[in-house]
Amino acid sequence: MAKMEVKTSLLDDMIGVGDMVLLEPLNEDSFINNLKKRFDHNEVYTYIGSVVISINPYRSLPIYTPEKVEEYRNRNFYELSPHIFALSDEAYRSLRDQDKDQCILITGESGAGKTEASKLVMSYVAAVCGKGAEVNQVKEQLLQSNPVLEAFGNAKTVRNDNSSRFGKYMDIEFDFKGDPLGGVISNYLLEKSRVVKQPRGERNFHIFYQILSGASEEFLCKLKLERDFSRYNYLGLDSAKVNGVDDASNFRTVRNAMQIVGFMDHETQSVFEVVAAVLKLGNIEFKPESRANGLDESKIKDKNELKEICELTGIDQSVLERAFSFRTVEAKQEKVSTTLNVAQAYYARDALAKNLYSRLFSWLVTRINESIKAQTKVRKKVMGVLDIYGFEIFENADNSFEQFIINYCNEKLQQIFIELTLKEEQEEYIREGIEWTNIEYFNNAIICDLIENNQTGILAMLDEECLRPGTVTDDTFLEKLNQVCATHQHFESRMSKCSRFLNDTSLPHSCFRIQHYAGKVMYQVEGFVDKNNDLLYRDLSQAMWKANHSLIKALFPEGNPAKINLKRPPTAGSQFKASVATLMKNLQTKNPNYIRCIKPNDKKAAHIFNDALVCHQIRYLGLLENVRVRRAGYAFRQAYEPCLERYKMLCKQTWPHWRGPARAGVEVLFDELGIPEEEFSFGRSKIFIRNPRTLFKLEDLRKQRLEDLATLIEKIYRGWKCRTRFLLMKKSQIVIASWVRRHAQQKRYQKIKSSAIVVQSYIRGWKARKLLRELKHLKRCNEAATIIAAYWHGTQARRELKRLKEEARRKHAVAVIWAYWLGLKVRREYRKYFRANAGRKIYEFTLQRLMQKYFLEMKKKMPSLSPIDKNWPARPYLFLDSTHKELKRIFHLWRCKKYRDQFTDQQKLIYEEKLEASELFKDKKALYPASVGQPFQGAYLEISENPKYKKLKDAVDEKIIIAEVVNKINRANGKATSRIFLLTKNNVLLADQKNGTIKSEVPLGDVTKVSMSSQNDGFFAVHLKEGSEAATKGDFLLSSDHLIEMATKLYRTTLSQTKQKLNIEISDEFLVQFKQDKVCVKFIQGSQKNGNIPTCKRKNNRLLEVAVP
Ligand SMILES: Nc1ncnc2c1ncn2[C@@H]1O[C@H](COP(=O)(O)OP(=O)(O)O)[C@@H](O)[C@H]1O
Ligand SMILES: [Mg+2]
């Protein structure tokens, strides 16, 4: 959101100019200076229109972080400072949104940063395109194909520690949403000569060093390799180690990458076996051996290495040995076998090694393609990334066939660059409806023609020479060139037209020179024919095909005797020409994006900018021309909206808002600014500005205007700020003032109030004190008066008292004197009448008098006659204590007697019985106190009245003393049955309660003892005399509600009848005779679960337990 609001532009904070098109003046010096200035400020990217120039910084810059990716994501190309991400984003978005297939063409010299650039593009696209598990796997596989190919196809060269020795074009395929689906990689001409020989200071392909440093001992042993680099002839010794490169860790990275890309374990194994075999091939050496026929023949010096190779690759040792010694030429069904001399044998060995390695490389590419190819058949959008080896020129005419091929390829790329850039430019003018004027520029088509023309091209002639029968050498090829191309403007040789009459001595004999678009290159013709032929003896390919190693077998399909093909395989040159042609066709269908890499110095060093070197590259890359072409029509163009947005502040009508269409706004703006009409042109969607000066003028005006605007904004802001501050202060001041006033008033009021209170209190105090003083005075006066009066009265009283006392003393004295006088007189007179015991008599009289008084008083205070009245008057004199108590006792006895005298005979009897009961049970049986209040009724059952008991009544003719229902306890189980208990004068009877049938009759003489507990229960046992008639059934255990009465009556009746005291035993444990057995009846304190009723339980044969609550 914020991003949208802050409009930025390439033109902001620019160091030098970000887009060379705007360079003014435009010449080589200013161009280089601009690059240098930017390079010194770490700005390694600069635009020419939509082309990105990238200068290799040779050190890592912090401009490839994920934050940077986010910054460039979905932004306009010219919105931020130049960056390879801006180009990648533009390409990706136009692929995704406008459905245009893209290609990204990265060119530049070796070491200029092409491969790095291609990786940056891929990683940017990977970062911004779709996400998800499947997509991520595709991305990962695409990215991980790089380390694998780099290990096998890159090497350290003098120019670059990680120089790609093959051309690579990778199509990344996307679906309609822009999610990656897969990819296809094409490889171009691996520099295979490096396998057998490397120039000074260079290395073989990385993978050899990586295996030897990184593989485990075990793995090396399996591959029959030793860790020591110096053991291998193919590894140049002088620069086996590269600074800052860890071969061992890279080896792990490569293996890991192979796994991610999808190599099976056995495939990886096979690949490394082939690499090992190549390495070991270099150690096979030959020695000459003369044969009888005089021809030289070679022999393998030490067969051990050969044996190991054969073991590793599953080749029959004799077959391979023969292939190194003989060559079979087949012509028209005839086989001719010739021996090889030592040189030929070495040639054959190296050819085999090169072929093995380059075919392995191609196989790797095919295998990777298999893994990363898109799995769907739907239409795909394609983004191609081309990272091809750069233009290479060696000094001292060291350029050979490889350089020729590489430079040809670059020539073609330049061609397509020219075509597409111009075409694009032209198309834009047409699209925008601007008139197009033709521009002069150098078209290198003529050079391409020199090389690739089917009849007269150098490649065609080389092929012709290779196929020609007869002796063919590199010199004959050069001769031919001289004949055919002599007249060509861009071809030079010692014999060429321009020097027909004067040999060009700057050219050695065996060389020719081509004036490439990037400069003149002198090629050494030696080896051209051979390399073009790319000959591998058939015996060797057949030997390989026979290998018991599936990968090697697959690498040499032409070795299959069944598929023998006598036709020559296409030459290297023609193969390359064809593949370049296909590539060009492919590129032409896509929207091109250019990254032109420039190398700032030859030392691979950071911070060094070699002007001459850069100048050379700029020249041959035609960058200046590129700018000129771009500026030929109009130097700058911009869509109307951003243009109006950027410059609208320059004109009153458009500032701050323009309501109409953007184009009209721009028209008004330009009109107002008075820009000459020839300086700009209105396209359909863009404004075209012819001269950068105009743009810079606009920029200057804008900058100035921005300053003015800034000042204006600042002014208004400051005014606003001050005003708001003032208003705030004013408001605050009022508030503060009101508070202060209020506070002051409050304080003043408080002061007055407190003063008033003080004054008031003083006055009140003064008044009060005055009153108090008066009152006090009054009081004192009163007191004084009282005191005076009191003193006065006192004085009077004391005087009176004194007088009275005096008077009394005198009277008393008179009386005493009188009494003494009288006593004396009486004593003198009555002494003869007084007896000696008069004192005692007086005492007795006094005593009598007191006694009399006591009794008289007692009479008045006598208590009631009720025997239970406890009142008794208090004792008046201590000496009467015992009398008083005695009197109380006598009185009680007397009133009891009085009470008893009222009783009838019957009542007397009842009380006798009660007395008896008291003697028997008081303090012995807990049941007793409850029985005191109950009258003894005896006959509870009206036997005579109830007709039911008539029979019973008839059977008993004596007087019935007790008739009551009791419970008889069953001897067996302790259960109770009701019985009528009758006591007569002579007998005890038990009868059935229902009908009165007599159950038992015991004469009183046979009752020996009655037993009962001391507790609060009604159980009792009637013990019978042993041997008596009644005792046969045993003693009775009964329970009754009137136990005390029954026991008392039984006792009294027995006593009166038999004159014997009945034994009554009170104990909580007694024995009862039941038939033969004696059973112990035990009373225990039981629970209250049955209420207040005691329960009886038979515990065992000898124990009956009664639980009493
Ligand atoms: N953008 C970059 N940032 C940092 N170092 C770079 C960058 N581009 C290239 N280099 C350095 O330059 C070396 C050569 O780059 P490379 O891409 O292999 O060159 P080329 O493929 O053009 O031969 C790399 O190994 C790296 O050290
Ligand atoms: Mg490279």
Side-chain angles (χ1 to χ4, degrees):
M1 194 188 74
K3 202 162 72 183
M4 299 315 296
E5 282 164 11
V6 183
K7 282 266 190 291
T8 52
S9 165
L10 170 80
L11 299 167
D12 293 326
D13 302 328
M14 218 164 40
I15 296 159
V17 289
D19 191 341
M20 287 294 188
V21 175
L22 304 177
L23 197 63
E24 191 62 42
L26 176 68
N27 57 46
E28 213 165 71
D29 288 340
S30 64
F31 195 102
I32 292 169
N33 282 337
N34 189 37
L35 279 184
K36 185 171 181 176
K37 189 171 172 196
R38 289 176 65 75
F39 179 77
D40 290 343
H41 285 86
N42 293 333
E43 291 283 351
V44 294
Y45 297 112
T46 308
Y47 294 148
I48 302 177
S50 59
V51 175
V52 174
I53 303 174
S54 153
I55 307 184
N56 189 347
Y58 279 121
R59 71 203 160 93
S60 63
L61 295 175
I63 53 171
Y64 307 113
T65 55
E67 292 77 44
K68 276 280 173 192
V69 170
E70 279 310 311
E71 198 180 321
Y72 278 88
R73 190 173 185 164
N74 292 335
R75 300 291 287 271
N76 271 331
F77 190 69
Y78 292 108
E79 215 175 297
L80 298 171
S81 60
H83 200 293
I84 195 165
F85 287 171
L87 176 124
S88 314
D89 194 69
E90 180 82 2
Y92 175 67
R93 279 197 295 141
S94 96
L95 168 107
R96 189 188 61 192
D97 305 337
Q98 294 168 27
D99 232 0
K100 282 188 199 157
D101 283 355
Q102 301 288 319
C103 65
I104 292 165
L105 304 178
I106 308 169
T107 56
E109 278 187 29
S110 177
K114 299 182 295 296
T115 306
E116 292 298 322
S118 77
K119 286 193 266 185
L120 287 170
V121 170
M122 279 170 70
S123 63
Y124 179 84
V125 172
V128 300
C129 69
K131 298 208 164 49
E134 212 171 303
V135 172
N136 280 350
Q137 199 203 338
V138 173
K139 278 187 204 173
E140 193 62 9
Q141 287 194 334
L142 289 176
L143 293 178
Q144 289 299 327
S145 67
N146 273 331
V148 181
L149 290 181
E150 283 193 10
F152 286 86
N154 288 21
K156 177 206 149 107
T157 66
V158 282
R159 294 180 177 80
N160 183 352
D161 289 347
N162 182 31
S163 179
S164 321
R165 306 316 297 164
F166 67 105
K168 180 181 150 195
Y169 173 74
M170 181 169 185
D171 265 337
I172 311 172
E173 298 168 332
F174 298 86
D175 66 5
F176 68 99
K177 311 194 287 297
D179 289 352
L181 292 170
V184 184
I185 298 172
S186 315
N187 64 316
Y188 299 96
L189 196 71
L190 179 76
E191 184 202 41
K192 59 187 169 193
S193 61
R194 181 168 297 271
V195 175
V196 298
K197 190 168 186 307
Q198 305 93 39
R200 267 198 156 279
E202 301 196 355
R203 284 209 317 184
N204 210 325
F205 293 101
H206 293 324
I207 190 68
F208 294 113
Y209 304 92
Q210 290 176 353
I211 288 194
L212 295 187
S213 339
S216 64
E217 289 298 338
E218 190 194 349
F219 192 53
L220 281 182
C221 188
K222 223 167 162 183
L223 297 178
K224 301 183 193 302
L225 290 177
E226 286 168 55
R227 216 177 266 296
D228 185 5
F229 295 157
S230 66
R231 277 275 293 112
Y232 299 99
N233 294 336
Y234 278 168
L235 302 183
L237 260 191
D238 49 341
S239 48
K241 276 257 159 274
V242 184
N243 276 350
V245 175
D246 182 353
D247 286 317
S249 99
N250 286 346
F251 182 61
R252 286 189 287 279
T253 314
V254 170
R255 293 204 65 162
N256 185 35
M258 285 174 91
Q259 205 177 5
I260 292 173
V261 172
F263 280 80
M264 302 292 180
D265 281 348
H266 71 268
E267 286 173 327
T268 316
Q269 173 76 19
S270 299
V271 167
F272 288 126
E273 276 164 10
V274 174
V275 173
V278 170
L279 205 49
K280 291 169 85 66
L281 267 179
N283 287 359
I284 294 181
E285 287 181 342
F286 302 96
K287 59 182 180 198
E289 207 176 65
S290 298
R291 290 240 321 220
N293 58 10
L295 283 172
D296 259 359
E297 195 182 309
S298 73
K299 240 184 130 53
I300 292 171
K301 263 190 205 163
D302 175 11
K303 292 197 182 159
N304 201 27
E305 201 80 37
L306 182 72
K307 186 169 148 264
E308 284 186 359
I309 293 173
C310 291
E311 281 169 9
L312 204 59
T313 55
I315 301 174
D316 189 343
Q317 190 179 338
S318 60
V319 172
L320 190 56
E321 201 179 337
R322 207 192 128 74
F324 280 137
S325 317
F326 292 94
R327 179 183 173 194
T328 313
V329 182
E330 242 169 290
K332 297 178 186 152
Q333 262 67 38
E334 259 180 73
K335 280 189 189 175
V336 185
S337 208
T338 55
T339 57
L340 299 177
N341 60 27
V342 173
Q344 285 170 325
Y346 275 117
Y347 177 85
R349 179 197 75 172
D350 288 347
L352 177 61
K354 288 192 282 188
N355 266 289
L356 208 53
Y357 192 80
S358 72
R359 289 175 191 216
L360 172 70
F361 187 74
S362 301
W363 179 86
L364 280 172
V365 173
T366 318
R367 178 66 189 79
I368 291 173
N369 279 337
E370 237 169 71
S371 276
I372 62 175
K373 79 167 174 239
Q375 301 295 333
T376 62
K377 290 245 178 322
V378 296
R379 205 189 80 76
K380 300 153 199 150
K381 302 176 179 187
V382 178
M383 178 184 284
V385 181
L386 181 69
D387 167 24
I388 204 133
Y389 19 49
F391 204 85
E392 261 181 357
I393 311 172
F394 287 95
E395 278 142 38
N396 306 331
D398 269 346
N399 305 298
S400 179
F401 182 70
E402 284 87 355
Q403 279 67 44
F404 178 70
I405 291 290
I406 290 171
N407 292 346
Y408 162 58
C409 177
N410 278 280
E411 202 73 59
K412 290 292 280 182
L413 281 175
Q414 175 69 8
Q415 173 72 45
I416 201 169
F417 172 69
I418 291 170
E419 264 183 31
L420 292 182
T421 336
L422 291 175
K423 208 169 89 195
E424 228 286 309
E425 187 83 9
Q426 206 164 350
E427 275 171 8
E428 177 157 34
Y429 285 131
I430 294 165
R431 228 182 10 250
E432 292 288 338
I434 306 269
E435 205 181 315
W436 166 248
T437 41
N438 232 0
I439 323 146
E440 280 298 310
Y441 61 93
F442 171 67
N443 192 337
N444 70 338
I446 184 163
I447 308 176
C448 296
D449 188 63
L450 169 66
I451 300 170
E452 67 180 2
N453 187 296
N454 280 339
Q455 270 87 46
T456 56
I458 295 175
L459 282 174
M461 273 182 287
L462 184 59
D463 277 2
E464 221 179 284
E465 199 61 15
C466 289
L467 297 173
R468 183 169 65 86
T471 40
V472 176
T473 63
D474 296 318
D475 290 331
T476 59
F477 164 61
L478 184 62
E479 258 175 46
K480 192 165 184 157
L481 278 187
N482 283 338
Q483 284 172 18
V484 180
C485 307
T487 50
H488 200 282
Q489 293 165 348
H490 294 268
F491 182 83
E492 289 171 28
S493 80
R494 258 178 112 92
M495 306 298 171
S496 67
K497 181 187 129 196
C498 19
S499 51
R500 181 159 289 170
F501 307 109
L502 188 71
N503 281 357
D504 186 348
T505 42
S506 69
L507 262 172
H509 284 281
S510 56
C511 292
F512 65 93
R513 193 188 276 147
I514 294 179
Q515 211 177 343
H516 283 292
Y517 76 99
K520 289 183 178 177
V521 181
M522 185 158 69
Y523 295 101
Q524 170 64 258
V525 80
E526 191 191 317
F528 264 59
V529 172
D530 239 5
K531 285 175 180 168
N532 192 38
N533 265 332
D534 190 21
L535 205 59
L536 178 71
Y537 297 147
R538 187 167 293 147
D539 302 72
L540 281 171
S541 52
Q542 283 177 354
M544 290 299 119
W545 184 81
K546 281 185 195 140
N548 188 16
H549 189 282
S550 56
L551 177 56
I552 294 180
K553 205 180 179 78
L555 293 182
F556 291 87
E558 84 272 21
N560 185 350
K563 288 191 189 160
I564 211 148
N565 183 4
L566 290 180
K567 245 177 84 189
R568 277 174 148 273
T571 59
S574 58
Q575 269 183 44
F576 190 75
K577 195 172 113 182
S579 55
V580 165
T582 323
L583 175 67
M584 295 306 141
K585 249 199 205 129
N586 185 353
L587 295 182
Q588 266 158 353
T589 62
K590 300 195 163 85
N591 185 40
N593 301 273
Y594 291 98
I595 301 168
R596 319 225 75 182
C597 299
I598 288 180
K599 199 161 123 172
N601 61 68
D602 259 338
K603 302 191 176 76
K604 305 175 194 169
H607 300 298
I608 299 177
F609 190 91
N610 182 335
D611 289 21
L613 189 73
V614 175
C615 176
H616 176 68
Q617 292 171 74
I618 288 167
R619 263 187 217 160
Y620 77 66
L621 286 175
L623 294 185
L624 222 56
E625 286 165 49
N626 190 186
V627 181
R628 287 206 184 99
V629 167
R630 186 81 188 171
R631 281 188 8 177
Y634 295 91
F636 185 78
R637 65 217 62 188
Q638 196 172 30
Y640 287 119
E641 286 80 12
C643 178
L644 184 61
E645 190 64 30
R646 192 164 178 85
Y647 301 115
K648 65 179 180 180
M649 70 289 283
L650 297 181
C651 162
K652 278 211 174 71
Q653 285 102 302
T654 51
W655 178 255
H657 299 294
W658 173 256
R659 305 276 170 214
R663 180 180 165 149
V666 175
E667 275 171 16
V668 168
L669 180 72
F670 275 50
D671 193 36
E672 183 80 4
L673 291 175
I675 296 168
E677 272 196 26
E678 63 277 12
E679 271 302 309
F680 60 88
S681 195
F682 291 106
R684 290 210 173 84
S685 63
K686 287 178 181 170
I687 171 92
F688 286 74
I689 297 173
R690 194 175 293 281
N691 204 317
R693 247 168 310 171
T694 311
L695 180 71
F696 289 131
K697 192 177 144 203
L698 280 175
E699 276 295 305
D700 284 345
L701 284 173
R702 178 174 180 269
K703 218 159 145 194
Q704 217 171 2
R705 180 74 182 125
L706 279 185
E707 273 166 27
D708 292 349
L709 283 179
T711 319
L712 183 71
I713 292 170
E714 198 178 310
K715 184 181 89 185
I716 291 172
Y717 173 70
R718 283 211 186 130
W720 172 82
K721 206 171 140 188
C722 284
R723 197 177 142 70
T724 32
R725 201 174 126 79
F726 167 74
L727 286 177
L728 191 71
M729 275 168 66
K730 195 171 144 192
K731 216 167 110 185
S732 313
Q733 189 271 334
I734 291 170
V735 172
I736 293 170
S738 70
W739 278 90
V740 169
R741 276 198 210 119
R742 184 181 146 202
H743 180 71
Q745 284 298 330
Q746 267 177 349
K747 241 171 131 180
R748 209 170 101 86
Y749 167 74
Q750 290 291 353
K751 217 162 152 183
I752 292 172
K753 193 173 158 188
S754 60
S755 311
I757 289 171
V758 169
V759 172
Q760 201 178 45
S761 68
Y762 272 108
I763 292 171
R764 284 206 186 126
W766 173 74
K767 270 185 168 172
R769 273 193 303 281
K770 201 173 141 195
L771 187 66
L772 184 69
R773 214 160 37 235
E774 277 167 9
L775 287 173
K776 268 184 179 168
H777 180 70
L778 205 67
K779 194 177 162 199
R780 244 197 331 266
C781 287
N782 284 346
E783 272 174 4
T786 317
I787 288 168
I788 292 168
Y791 275 104
W792 172 242
H793 287 144
T795 316
Q796 272 191 329
R798 272 190 303 279
R799 243 184 240 159
E800 182 64 14
L801 185 69
K802 221 168 143 185
R803 192 188 59 79
L804 286 176
K805 269 183 180 169
E806 191 61 39
E807 207 178 83
R809 211 159 44 231
R810 279 182 197 160
K811 267 185 189 164
H812 182 68
V814 171
V816 168
I817 295 166
W818 174 249
Y820 271 102
W821 168 245
L822 219 60
L824 195 68
K825 252 175 48 174
V826 170
R827 269 189 309 272
R828 268 180 206 161
E829 195 175 333
Y830 287 90
R831 190 164 287 146
K832 53 195 181 219
Y833 306 113
F834 270 120
R835 296 228 185 115
N837 60 352
R840 224 189 120 202
K841 273 211 171 145
I842 292 166
Y843 172 74
E844 273 171 5
F845 171 76
T846 315
L847 216 55
Q848 257 177 18
R849 176 78 191 111
L850 282 178
M851 291 296 272
Q852 188 187 16
K853 200 174 159 195
Y854 167 66
F855 283 122
L856 285 173
E857 237 155 66
M858 270 310 270
K859 192 184 159 192
K860 272 189 250 166
K861 289 184 196 166
M862 225 34 164
S864 71
L865 288 180
S866 165
I868 51 172
D869 188 354
K870 292 255 177 352
N871 288 333
W872 190 248
R875 177 197 60 184
Y877 307 109
L878 188 62
F879 73 98
L880 285 176
D881 189 36
S882 53
T883 321
H884 196 67
K885 274 184 191 147
E886 187 61 18
L887 205 57
K888 183 183 173 186
R889 197 182 64 81
I890 295 167
F891 176 74
H892 184 66
L893 290 178
W894 174 75
R895 69 182 174 187
C896 286
K897 166 91 172 61
K898 273 278 216 201
Y899 187 70
R900 278 197 305 274
D901 287 348
Q902 295 165 15
F903 288 173
T904 58
D905 284 347
Q906 210 182 345
Q907 272 175 323
K908 259 183 215 163
L909 211 63
I910 287 170
Y911 280 97
E912 259 169 32
E913 265 178 357
K914 283 274 179 193
L915 193 64
E916 195 82 61
S918 158
E919 276 159 13
L920 286 171
F921 299 111
K922 191 176 176 192
D923 297 336
K924 291 177 192 158
K925 173 91 180 152
L927 196 59
Y928 170 72
S931 75
V932 174
Q934 294 171 359
F936 292 170
Q937 288 179 5
Y940 289 92
L941 273 178
E942 298 293 339
I943 300 283
S944 45
E945 249 106 286
N946 198 335
K948 204 161 70 167
Y949 303 129
K950 185 157 183 314
K951 220 161 97 198
L952 180 63
K953 202 213 154 217
D954 294 344
V956 185
D957 44 3
E958 294 161 302
K959 182 175 181 262
I960 292 172
I961 301 166
I962 296 177
E964 214 226 315
V965 177
V966 297
N967 285 322
K968 178 169 178 284
I969 306 302
N970 192 315
R971 304 154 195 208
N973 53 14
K975 294 252 171 72
T977 20
S978 299
R979 288 277 184 272
I980 297 171
F981 183 95
L982 294 180
L983 176 66
T984 60
K985 264 191 179 151
N986 296 309
N987 293 309
V988 172
L989 288 120
L990 286 177
D992 195 303
Q993 195 208 353
K994 288 190 188 113
N995 47 25
T997 327
I998 295 171
K999 291 275 179 178
S1000 322
E1001 185 166 0
V1002 184
L1004 279 183
D1006 287 351
V1007 176
T1008 53
K1009 190 166 82 171
V1010 172
S1011 304
M1012 65 186 72
S1013 75
S1014 64
Q1015 296 177 32
N1016 199 10
D1017 64 300
F1019 284 84
F1020 66 102
V1022 180
H1023 302 269
L1024 305 179
K1025 190 190 272 171
E1026 259 177 71
S1028 69
E1029 191 194 344
T1032 49
K1033 279 187 191 168
D1035 303 339
F1036 298 117
L1037 182 60
L1038 305 169
S1039 105
S1040 162
D1041 292 342
H1042 304 99
L1043 170 63
I1044 302 296
E1045 180 182 355
M1046 283 166 75
T1048 311
K1049 286 206 163 140
L1050 194 59
Y1051 177 82
R1052 281 173 61 88
T1053 318
T1054 313
L1055 189 64
S1056 67
Q1057 289 303 303
T1058 60
K1059 308 289 177 227
Q1060 269 174 8
K1061 283 191 180 171
L1062 181 64
N1063 186 7
I1064 291 178
E1065 187 186 313
I1066 297 175
S1067 161
D1068 284 345
E1069 208 175 317
F1070 49 79
L1071 293 173
V1072 179
Q1073 183 81 35
F1074 284 159
K1075 286 191 182 160
Q1076 275 79 36
D1077 309 320
K1078 278 199 192 303
V1079 173
C1080 179
V1081 180
K1082 189 173 178 183
F1083 291 82
I1084 54 161
Q1085 205 71 35
S1087 67
Q1088 292 225 329
K1089 66 176 169 225
N1090 294 342
N1092 273 340
I1093 303 156
T1095 51
C1096 184
K1097 221 182 232 168
R1098 180 87 185 218
K1099 280 272 157 177
N1100 56 39
N1101 272 348
R1102 304 245 170 258
L1103 183 66
L1104 200 66
E1105 210 170 67
V1106 182
V1108 185

